[in-house]
Amino acid sequence: MKELTRSYAIVQDDADPLKHFKNHFYKPGEDLIYLDGNSLGMLPCATRERLQNVVDEEWGRGLIRSWNTGWYNRSDVVAAKIACLIGAKPHEVMVGDSTSVNLYKLAYAALFYQKERKVIVSDNLNFPSDLYIFQGLVRQWGADYQLRLASSVDAIGIDTNALAKVMSEDVALVSLSHVVFKSAFMYDMEQVTRLAQENGSMILWDLSHAVGAVPIDLNGAHADLAVGCTYKYLNGGPGAPAFLYVREDLQEKLETPIYGWFGQNNPFAFSLEYEPAPGIARFLAGTPPLLSLSALEPSLDILLEAGMNRIRKKSVEQSKYLIRLAEHFLFPLGYTLASPCSEEQRGSHISMRHPEAYRICQALIDPGVGGNVVIPDFREPDNIRLGIAPLYNSFADIFDTVWQMKSIVTEKKYLPYSSSRKGVT
Ligand SMILES: *Cc1c(COP(=O)(O)O)cnc(C)c1O
């Protein structure tokens, strides 16, 4: 079958309308295939130049004067670009702090707003940091508060009925990852938002593994709240500032638990009394990280130019191609699919399980093995995650990755590696 040959991949790449976007990214090495853009996106070339300029000109020469020549409103400029990617209005998005901290702020605000409701609902596929935040809140708010998790039967997805079962009148907040970090399972945002709101609960979406990977329409789904990460598919760089979204009509009703001067009505009046800024700005706390904020902007421009619909179309084609190749070359070798089969229920990464997953990952990353160096990531206990970032991944990358995963098992190249885990997997 022609699909199973490398020349088929080359033909797909030639016909790819997004193929030139690869050149916008810094090349990490000739034979390196990077399939971890869902964990840390690649470096756009424009970001290197931008950072050089921000450091030399804005900081080095401009010094404090730069606050009035671009720094003060830079978070608004960046927020407006993120808003375009998530179906929000520019003044509904704020950039700054980490995803975890923003999640805390919004989950707290939801509890504070509905004090008669004392339950947070999430699921057991959610990102651990999110669950830690909820556990902390429940402990801080008191013994009558509770975190309730819907359970996955297959460790891949969550049935909407399972979610419906854990809903009750005392649920203040439903908070879920739109795309789940391990399996890439994707919730139907509109349907689940409706489910929560019909119950009188607020919904808070974590978009970390979805933004930049799938088209998102928060306004279309009438979502209440959202947070998201920018160092994954948004290529903002390690520790890049996260964002949060609060629907327009809720902004004046909600309170941030952290009263800081950047969320004050007029920070430079230096008033001794806190008065919240109108609108989304009240969810800021301290000074935005200007260097990281500046580093994020060029990548957002690239994503907006490529367009989320085109990115999604290619992502779906590449994911289907990967699964098709895996069925033929990998499943007979003990690999199994740990992501949903249907693309409507899947983000832009594919998880595969194998009893030797950890050692296979090490062999993929090691240049000494021969062939291409492939960088995926490993998630306990036995998941290899292959992140597809259509802006810089080609069909040939996918073919070569499958080939490498196949030969590592058939030729037992994983045997020399140890199963004991490194600090970051
Ligand atoms: C990556 C990710 C985070 C990251 O949180 P940080 O506070 O930025 O480290 C949080 N939630 C989800 C769902 C993620 O995928």
Side-chain angles (χ1 to χ4, degrees), residues 188-306:
D188 180 332
M189 181 179 280
E190 208 177 316
Q191 182 194 25
V192 175
T193 298
R194 204 179 317 120
L195 176 76
Q197 291 172 347
E198 279 171 0
N199 188 58
S201 315
M202 297 182 94
I203 184 110
L204 197 178
W205 288 105
D206 188 329
L207 306 177
S208 294
H209 270 82
V211 64
V214 297
I216 298 167
D217 189 2
L218 289 171
N219 282 169
H222 197 62
D224 299 304
L225 309 166
V227 296
C229 175
T230 67
Y231 52 76
K232 295 172 179 163
Y233 291 103
L234 298 191
N235 314 307
F243 61 88
L244 64 74
Y245 153 93
V246 179
R247 203 182 59 229
E248 196 169 22
D249 58 288
L250 290 170
Q251 292 173 3
E252 302 298 318
K253 297 178 183 157
L254 298 183
E255 244 209 74
T256 175
I258 308 170
Y259 288 4
W261 70 315
F262 267 74
Q264 220 276 1
N265 193 18
N266 188 0
F268 288 90
F270 293 101
S271 160
L272 299 188
E273 290 301 318
Y274 174 80
E275 187 191 325
I280 195 77
R282 69 185 53 194
F283 293 98
L284 284 167
T287 312
L290 255 299
L291 299 182
S292 311
L293 205 51
S294 307
L296 172 57
E297 203 180 350
S299 168
L300 299 175
D301 291 333
I302 295 173
L303 278 141
L304 290 171
E305 188 191 330

Side-chain angles (χ1 to χ4, degrees), residues 34-283:
Y34 192 67
L35 290 180
D36 211 4
N38 57 315
S39 211
L40 178 70
M42 280 175 68
L43 167 66
C45 301
T47 303
R48 292 179 82 203
E49 286 166 33
R50 179 69 188 274
L51 268 179
Q52 193 73 54
N53 188 272
V54 171
V55 169
D56 290 350
E57 296 302 321
E58 298 182 9
W59 180 14
R61 263 183 263 279
L63 291 167
I64 194 121
R65 291 171 290 189
S66 294
W67 276 109
N68 279 327
T69 55
W71 285 356
Y72 197 55
N73 67 354
R74 189 152 301 159
S75 38
D76 295 340
V77 171
V78 172
K81 291 182 180 180
I82 293 174
C84 294
L85 296 172
I86 58 176
K89 301 180 190 83
H91 55 272
E92 290 177 321
V93 180
M94 179 231 94
V95 194
D97 297 319
S98 63
T99 307
S100 305
V101 170
N102 286 331
L103 190 76
Y104 179 82
K105 290 190 252 181
L106 294 189
Y108 180 103
L111 293 182
F112 196 75
Y113 182 57
Q114 311 159 92
K115 293 204 193 74
E116 66 296 346
R117 292 173 173 250
K118 300 180 190 302
V119 177
I120 301 175
V121 160
S122 188
D123 68 43
N124 70 348
L125 299 182
N126 207 348
F127 194 70
S129 191
D130 295 38
L131 300 178
Y132 303 157
I133 296 289
F134 305 143
Q135 288 163 18
L137 278 164
V138 161
R139 190 170 144 80
Q140 290 149 16
W141 277 73
D144 44 349
Y145 280 78
Q146 189 197 339
L147 171 62
R148 200 181 287 160
L149 301 183
S151 287
S152 170
V153 179
D154 57 4
I156 293 179
I158 301 272
D159 184 29
T160 315
N161 293 326
L163 263 185
K165 278 213 190 86
V166 294
M167 299 298 289
S168 57
E169 276 180 5
D170 50 358
V171 175
L173 179 69
V174 178
S175 183
L176 303 163
S177 288
H178 181 33
V179 173
V180 162
F181 81 105
K182 209 184 282 185
S183 70
F185 168 73
M186 179 165 65
Y187 275 110
D188 180 332
M189 181 179 280
E190 208 177 316
Q191 182 194 25
V192 175
T193 298
R194 204 179 317 120
L195 176 76
Q197 291 172 347
E198 279 171 0
N199 188 58
S201 315
M202 297 182 94
I203 184 110
L204 197 178
W205 288 105
D206 188 329
L207 306 177
S208 294
H209 270 82
V211 64
V214 297
I216 298 167
D217 189 2
L218 289 171
N219 282 169
H222 197 62
D224 299 304
L225 309 166
V227 296
C229 175
T230 67
Y231 52 76
K232 295 172 179 163
Y233 291 103
L234 298 191
N235 314 307
F243 61 88
L244 64 74
Y245 153 93
V246 179
R247 203 182 59 229
E248 196 169 22
D249 58 288
L250 290 170
Q251 292 173 3
E252 302 298 318
K253 297 178 183 157
L254 298 183
E255 244 209 74
T256 175
I258 308 170
Y259 288 4
W261 70 315
F262 267 74
Q264 220 276 1
N265 193 18
N266 188 0
F268 288 90
F270 293 101
S271 160
L272 299 188
E273 290 301 318
Y274 174 80
E275 187 191 325
I280 195 77
R282 69 185 53 194
F283 293 98

